[in-house]
Amino acid sequence: MKRVLVNGAGGFIGGHLVKRLKAEGCWVRGVDIKRHEYVTPPADEFIVGDLRDPRFVESVVDGVEDVYQLAADMGGAGYIFTGEHDAVVMHNSATINLNTLESAVKAGVKRIFYSSSACIYPEYNQMDPDNPKCSEESAYPAAPDSEYGWEKLFSERLYLSYMRNYGIQVRVARFHNIFGIEGTWTGGREKAPAALCRKVAEAPEGGTIEIWGDGKQTRSFLYIDECLEAVRRLVESDFTGPVNIGSEEMVSINQLARMIMEIADKRVTIRNIPGPTGVRGRNSDNKLIQQRLGWAPSKPLRDGLEKTYRWISAQVEAHKHEPAAAAH
Ligand code: NAD
């Protein structure tokens, strides 16, 4: 039975990954600074601790063959694009990555997967909402629009350096807006699909929801199950990456909101207000992953949104009578 460590198992993607690896028959140790908020991931062992502490990291990499390093100081636009959290984001995530790699090499870990982000792509290629460029080789000359993106780029290079110099097998993916059930939907760190599902679920019929920016900024969104299929194919392949894992179904944020309203069968007016938005346009470019791993998303955006809306509207309903939770 393969022994695997998932860092960030108390988070959105990590929680789902634990489930997937268990279903594949692995023995899984999950680690996070907090327990999962919505479910109990079925890990064989779940250890709560701080991956910024090198001694803690040494203890958790012990005895595993593969590591999935997903832990990061993370959030949606309201967390990473305001500038207020730049120092902690860079310090926390870089420290986690430095510790994890160093301990993994010392412990003789065979393979390590690292989740980078579409946020590493240069701002200058993402000014036109209709024609963003995010092919893997376009990452340089580097000019990410956030410190979160710069840290991811630094860490990609760190992982590749450790592979070059110490021989540990590394796999690097650049995730493009992964969404789905059992992820943050309130509190300030939620991303656009979850935030919009919540706003539509909370709005009365004929009410109004607010959207940051003019809503014409474009993005693509990939459902969690599709993402994990791509991650597993990458890890089992001999391809190091970095490679995009995302969807090429690009929509504007206003279109995304309208799609959610259709799913909810609710008529709501959109009010576009000033707020942090990130780049004007972003879309995954899946040529490389298609060519190397034969992977492409199998279902349209709407499918995943339906599941996510159902889950978030149930959360909204369940929290209606709890003023503290609903106040976020
Ligand atoms: P998430 O915030 O739900 O999960 C990250 C987890 O890391 C959290 O549970 C958090 O508690 C944990 N963590 C943070 N600091 C820690 C520490 N010091 N010690 C131990 N655990 C710590 O985010 P997610 O959406 O599941 O993202 C997982 C990874 O994928 C992250 O590295 C993120 O940057 C990357 N990524 C995600 C997306 C996306 O759309 N969700 C896009 C691009 C990249």
Side-chain angles (χ1 to χ4, degrees):
M1 206 187 239
K2 176 168 272 186
R3 292 173 70 89
V4 178
L5 168 66
V6 177
N7 285 349
F12 166 53
I13 301 174
H16 283 277
L17 180 62
V18 169
K19 233 182 283 172
R20 164 104 195 203
L21 292 168
K22 279 305 298 171
E24 287 185 27
C26 299
W27 182 94
V28 182
R29 176 182 295 146
V31 168
D32 205 293
I33 201 163
K34 61 162 177 68
R35 292 202 172 272
H36 201 289
E37 275 171 78
Y38 310 109
V39 288
T40 304
D44 295 278
E45 220 175 74
F46 191 97
I47 307 178
V48 175
D50 189 342
L51 293 162
R52 290 169 300 183
D53 172 1
R55 271 171 307 194
F56 174 68
V57 181
E58 264 170 41
S59 70
V60 296
V61 296
D62 192 43
V64 300
E65 235 173 282
D66 289 357
V67 173
Y68 291 80
Q69 202 316 84
L70 300 165
D73 200 353
M74 172 63 175
Y79 185 73
I80 59 176
F81 293 131
T82 59
E84 286 164 53
H85 310 285
D86 287 350
V88 284
V89 164
M90 293 191 96
H91 175 268
N92 290 346
S93 297
T95 308
I96 293 169
N97 287 313
L98 286 160
N99 287 345
T100 303
L101 263 170
E102 188 65 19
S103 298
V105 166
K106 281 191 190 143
V109 166
K110 292 212 177 75
R111 276 192 305 204
I112 185 157
F113 169 83
Y114 174 57
S115 51
S116 181
S117 165
C119 290
I120 63 103
Y121 286 112
E123 191 174 15
Y124 58 76
N125 280 334
Q126 302 174 85
M127 306 293 232
D128 176 356
D130 298 323
N131 289 299
K133 182 174 179 190
C134 293
S135 50
E136 285 80 354
E137 84 295 341
S138 72
Y140 296 97
D145 72 328
S146 66
E147 302 309 330
Y148 168 81
W150 278 106
E151 188 282 326
K152 288 286 188 197
L153 204 55
F154 161 77
S155 289
E156 281 189 2
R157 301 189 70 94
L158 183 72
Y159 281 84
L160 298 172
S161 304
Y162 268 67
M163 174 150 149
R164 231 172 8 251
N165 295 163
Y166 301 129
I168 185 168
Q169 283 298 307
V170 163
R171 303 286 181 268
V172 180
R174 293 174 180 157
F175 290 162
H176 289 244
N177 294 311
I178 314 304
F179 76 101
I181 63 168
E182 297 162 11
T184 307
W185 60 278
T186 187
R189 286 187 185 231
E190 64 278 18
K191 314 258 194 57
L196 293 176
C197 285
R198 188 198 70 229
K199 288 178 188 190
V200 170
E202 285 172 347
E205 174 69 31
T208 302
I209 60 164
E210 291 182 339
I211 290 187
W212 289 341
D214 62 9
K216 293 181 182 142
Q217 64 273 29
T218 53
R219 293 292 186 278
S220 65
F221 301 93
L222 183 70
Y223 193 64
I224 180 70
D225 296 354
E226 309 260 17
C227 166
L228 295 181
E229 174 62 26
V231 167
R232 289 291 300 124
R233 282 199 202 186
L234 175 62
V235 170
E236 294 306 328
S237 78
D238 58 5
F239 181 39
T240 301
V243 67
N244 291 329
I245 293 185
S247 156
E248 290 181 324
E249 187 182 340
M250 190 169 78
V251 292
S252 74
I253 299 301
N254 284 344
Q255 280 172 330
L256 178 70
R258 282 192 213 103
M259 208 183 269
I260 295 170
M261 288 175 209
E262 271 174 36
I263 291 168
D265 195 21
K266 234 188 216 184
R267 271 140 302 270
V268 177
T269 307
I270 296 174
R271 181 143 51 96
N272 294 105
I273 58 161
T277 57
V279 293
R280 286 300 290 161
R282 176 171 291 155
N283 194 7
S284 187
D285 179 324
N286 289 352
K287 277 186 224 65
L288 185 61
I289 193 161
Q290 174 77 59
Q291 186 198 338
R292 297 300 299 261
L293 304 177
W295 177 89
S298 65
K299 297 196 179 106
L301 167 63
R302 196 183 159 116
D303 269 50
L305 267 186
E306 281 173 4
K307 293 184 198 142
T308 308
Y309 181 78
R310 270 202 303 278
W311 183 79
I312 292 182
S313 60
Q315 303 296 309
V316 167
E317 202 49 44
H319 287 80
K320 249 186 187 158
H321 306 295
E322 292 172 25
H328 286 304

